[in-house]
Amino acid sequence: MKHCLTTVICLACLLTTANAQAERLVLVGASYGKNVLAICDAEGEVIWSHKTAGPSKGHAGHHDVQLLASGNILFHDSWTQLTEMTLDKKVVWTYDSATMNGNAGKRVDVHAFARLPNGNTLITESGVGRMIEVDGAGKIVHQIPLKPGGTQSTRLVRMTPQGTYLVCSEDPGVVTEYKRDGEIVWEYPVKTRVYGAIRLRNGNTLIASGGGNSVLEVTPDKQVVWEIKKQVPGTDVELKWTTCLEELDNGNFVVGNCHAGPDNPQIFEIDRNKNIVWEFDEYDLVGNGLACWQILSDEQSALVRKKLAEIEAK
């Protein structure tokens, strides 16, 4: 019995230590006057920041951002140029959709991108209406034409675990799922200026309706099985322009709440019972224009802390 009690105590200590070491860092990209990239802790304290160009490059808002496996940050500082930057603010890669791969002279703007596990970069080019995958030299290795019409101008694009692409188009307000060969395999008309969508572990799709001021979970046969709209039930949190989404390991959802004013959180975590369990409310830092962000995993957070410590030690 004494041995068992000792084992339980040791396990409890290990779990406590693990929980104490784990932390939540948040990468945010805000423009609309703030023009900042920042990494904050869960309480909103800034541990790293970088001033971006903003309107001086004709750029009204950051719409996507990604911490890479290297610890670098992939962002856009104009409507057409992607930049990869180290945490000590050295630019190591750029790609400009305005001039590269046949786009010179064409109307093009970029709202969604991602560095893929194979090292290539997925870029969705609105206007010209295509998703392209480019290598480190900027050469196209794969491309998918977007469905003609308003769907050729997008907001966020996210890959599913099955390797398909969920493409959000504000006008006509639809989420379209493409296979790698360009075949459309699923579509859901939100009928609002939809911004973001992700595929959940249960196979359903979580959609941020943008101007519809809502988040909804939709089954493959297009039934809505979970939804928050206009206001989170039992709270005074109002939903405005819903943008990025994440599903956490605990099953909770993290929701971006852009253009919501100083009286509402810009990001919040909500459980399936519609209880808000965490808020990111840093209006002084991000203002009314925080559209894109990323909740960093424990491993990513540890990497960022390590990189920043190395920079500080130089």
Side-chain angles (χ1 to χ4, degrees), residues 65 122 127 253 265:
V65 68
L122 176 69
F253 304 141

Side-chain angles (χ1 to χ4, degrees), residues 168-196:
C168 296
S169 304
E170 285 191 337
D171 184 10
V174 63
V175 178
T176 306
E177 183 175 358
Y178 295 81
K179 290 174 63 176
R180 188 168 172 80
D181 63 5
E183 179 188 355
I184 294 174
V185 294
W186 189 78
E187 199 163 55
Y188 186 82
V190 187
K191 300 179 181 179
T192 68
R193 295 182 66 185
V194 60
Y195 197 100

Side-chain angles (χ1 to χ4, degrees), residues 25-28 37-40 47-51 65-75 83-92 296 299-312 314:
L25 297 183
V26 187
L27 169 63
V28 297
L37 293 173
I39 300 175
C40 305
I47 65 171
W48 177 91
S49 67
H50 171 70
K51 196 70 174 174
V65 68
Q66 182 185 14
L67 184 84
L68 305 180
S70 62
N72 297 346
I73 295 175
L74 186 65
F75 67 102
T83 299
E84 179 184 345
M85 185 178 67
T86 65
L87 289 178
D88 54 356
K89 305 185 181 180
K90 295 182 176 66
V91 173
V92 296
L296 304 187
E299 293 78 11
Q300 290 173 317
S301 296
L303 176 62
V304 166
R305 289 289 191 184
K306 178 176 179 289
K307 293 278 187 181
L308 293 180
E310 290 171 350
I311 293 169
E312 181 70 22
K314 287 182 181 178

